Amino acid sequence: MSTAIPAEDPPAERPGPRERVAAAIGLLDRPLTSYYLVLGCTVMLLALGLTMVLSASLVKQIEETGSAYTLLQKQAVWVAIGLPGMWLASRLPVKTFRALAYPLLLLSIVALLLVLVPGLGRTAGGATRWIALGPLQIQPSEPAKLALVLWGADLLARKERLGQLTEWKPLLVPLLPGAGLLVLLVMLGDDLGTTLILLTIFLGLLWVVGAPGRLFVGMAGLVCLLVAILIVVEPYRMQRLTGFLDRSGDPLGARYQGLQGLYALASGGWFGTGLGEGRAKWYFLPHAETDFIFAIVGEEFGLVGTLVVLSLFGLLAYAGLRIARRVKDPFTRLAAAGATAWLVVQAIVNIGAVIGVLPITGIPLPLVSYGGSALIPTLIALGMLLAFAKREPGARQALAARGPGPVPRALSWLGLARR
């Protein structure tokens, strides 16, 4: 009597390219996508920043201080201060951010006024941006960006709830005078780069709140006129602009820094010279650890490294706009869009100056360039985005379903968790 041999199951078909693309797109629809994108991009850019600050500054620091790690240690201290601030911001409710808006705006105005006081303000690179507090130097214009985001979002959210955004006057008053005061104080310190970012936040808030097209175009034109006036009235800015427009003149003067940045990028090739092997930092490229750190990335990691940095900022922009689109609360939507506009446009302006498609403005690359005054407000803003990402549809349920966090899990593995 013969026994039947069961037929073998046909081999499972491997998913094709179309199915893989569909699966990858499906990952972007998960509730916590924005949360993990913001967190992951922040951590990777911070790690890259610490690495590049060491690489870009070691030659100069060895000569000046005898240690290659001087700026790295300072930046690590700022990171150690900023990360707890980011974590705390990620756990704050929305009402706390709204409550902090007006005090932070007032403190920013007072601090910007102190910059203009002789003996307190410090000037470098043609701009008076810092307050000297003993060994520390603080740049008040950096927290002013966060203050404008929170205050502008709270103001427009209240007006939207009351239905007062149908006419131009309630839309612009007092938003325009408040933003104008911050811009004026920063302009008095000759800081064009920060002025551009503040104006970008202002225009971003108007765009998200749904300002009429004619009004938005008028404000954008006014911003362009203001920037043009700021460039014309200051000789060193005119030199930078003419050096940017005239590619053939003054290679050892106004165009020197930009040319050295391009040389550094070009020498990197596809995969770079290797970490720490770049030559531009050997006193060829000024401000390599701050304004032109992207050039050092391109020299030592090549085109591949620069594309990774661009991808990280692109993902950060996507995550911020996704949060602004998916949340329901008007304040959350406006604050998320304003913070995203601030960070992404600042990265675009910095990278554009390094690759020669924009004039040099002297603003840092977020999370990568050296400097604590810029790093800490940036990390708090990213913590705020993490807090807002938890308010997306389905995010709270997904967080609750994750189970305990990494610290309780580690304690349970060690047998130290509470029973």
Side-chain angles (χ1 to χ4, degrees):
M1 186 174 179
S2 61
T3 57
I5 299 175
E8 294 182 359
D9 294 333
E13 295 184 0
R14 293 183 178 181
R18 185 173 299 177
E19 288 77 9
R20 293 176 182 175
V21 171
I25 295 175
L27 292 176
L28 299 178
D29 291 331
R30 295 185 177 183
L32 292 177
T33 295
S34 303
Y35 182 89
Y36 287 123
L37 280 177
V38 172
L39 184 61
C41 291
T42 300
V43 171
M44 285 188 281
L45 286 170
L46 269 180
L48 176 67
L50 287 171
T51 303
M52 298 316 299
V53 164
L54 172 61
S55 180
S57 65
L58 61 89
V59 173
K60 184 178 179 181
Q61 293 305 310
I62 287 175
E63 181 174 344
E64 292 184 353
T65 67
S67 171
Y69 304 100
T70 304
L71 287 193
L72 173 66
Q73 291 168 351
K74 292 181 180 179
Q75 188 75 351
V77 170
W78 292 120
V79 171
I81 295 172
L83 283 178
M86 176 181 171
W87 175 82
L88 178 62
S90 71
R91 303 181 68 86
L92 293 178
V94 172
K95 62 180 181 181
T96 303
F97 291 108
R98 301 188 73 163
L100 291 173
Y102 287 84
L104 185 57
L105 180 70
L106 180 61
L107 287 174
S108 298
I109 293 173
V110 172
L112 287 171
L113 287 171
L114 292 176
V115 171
L116 305 176
V117 176
L120 286 179
R122 290 290 181 269
T123 302
T128 305
R129 308 177 186 178
W130 293 272
I131 298 175
L133 299 176
L136 292 178
Q137 289 193 358
I138 300 174
Q139 189 174 346
S141 58
E142 294 296 336
K145 300 171 186 176
L146 180 59
L148 181 58
V149 168
L150 295 178
W151 176 73
D154 179 70
L155 180 68
L156 292 176
R158 293 177 189 274
K159 289 180 176 288
E160 182 177 346
R161 182 169 54 85
L162 298 174
Q164 297 179 349
L165 298 180
T166 55
E167 297 181 3
W168 70 269
K169 187 174 181 180
L171 185 62
L172 293 180
V173 180
L175 178 63
L176 180 60
L181 177 60
L182 286 178
V183 168
L184 175 63
L185 293 174
V186 174
M187 283 166 43
L188 291 175
D190 292 328
D191 188 355
L192 179 61
T194 303
T195 299
L196 287 172
I197 303 303
L198 291 173
L199 293 172
T200 298
I201 295 171
F202 170 71
L203 291 177
L205 291 173
L206 287 182
W207 177 268
V208 174
V209 84
R214 186 176 300 178
L215 176 64
F216 184 83
V217 170
M219 288 294 101
L222 182 62
V223 166
C224 293
L225 177 62
L226 177 62
V227 172
I229 293 173
L230 288 174
I231 293 173
V232 170
V233 299
E234 192 64 43
Y236 83 92
R237 293 197 193 114
M238 277 299 298
Q239 290 178 358
R240 284 184 177 180
L241 181 61
T242 54
F244 169 74
L245 297 174
D246 182 12
R247 300 287 177 166
S248 61
D250 199 13
L252 297 178
R255 297 190 61 237
Y256 177 78
Q257 187 180 25
L259 278 176
Q260 292 300 321
L262 290 176
Y263 292 155
L265 287 171
S267 64
W270 284 96
F271 301 103
T273 60
L275 179 61
E277 299 296 326
R279 300 176 181 176
K281 61 197 174 192
W282 289 81
Y283 297 98
F284 292 104
L285 179 60
H287 306 295
E289 71 278 3
T290 52
D291 305 345
F292 271 69
I293 200 166
F294 186 75
I296 305 299
V297 173
E299 183 183 23
E300 299 188 354
F301 292 106
L303 178 64
V304 174
T306 60
L307 292 178
V308 169
V309 175
L310 290 173
S311 299
L312 290 174
F313 279 110
L315 289 173
L316 197 57
Y318 168 78
L321 295 177
R322 184 179 188 268
I323 294 169
R325 181 176 59 86
R326 287 167 58 89
V327 293
K328 307 298 183 183
D329 177 51
F331 168 81
T332 306
R333 182 179 72 251
L334 288 164
T340 304
W342 153 25
L343 298 175
V344 173
V345 170
Q346 183 165 322
I348 291 173
V349 172
N350 177 278
I351 294 172
V354 173
I355 65 177
V357 298
L358 292 174
I360 298 172
T361 56
I363 61 175
L365 185 61
L367 299 173
V368 182
S369 294
Y370 170 77
S373 295
L375 180 64
I376 291 178
T378 298
L379 287 174
I380 292 174
L382 290 166
M384 179 180 71
L385 287 179
L386 290 175
F388 294 166
K390 297 176 185 178
R391 303 182 66 85
E392 290 186 33
R396 292 188 181 277
Q397 293 82 350
L399 283 170
R402 285 191 319 177
V407 174
R409 284 200 299 268
L411 292 176
S412 66
W413 293 338
L414 296 172
L416 300 176
R418 291 182 179 179
R419 300 292 183 182

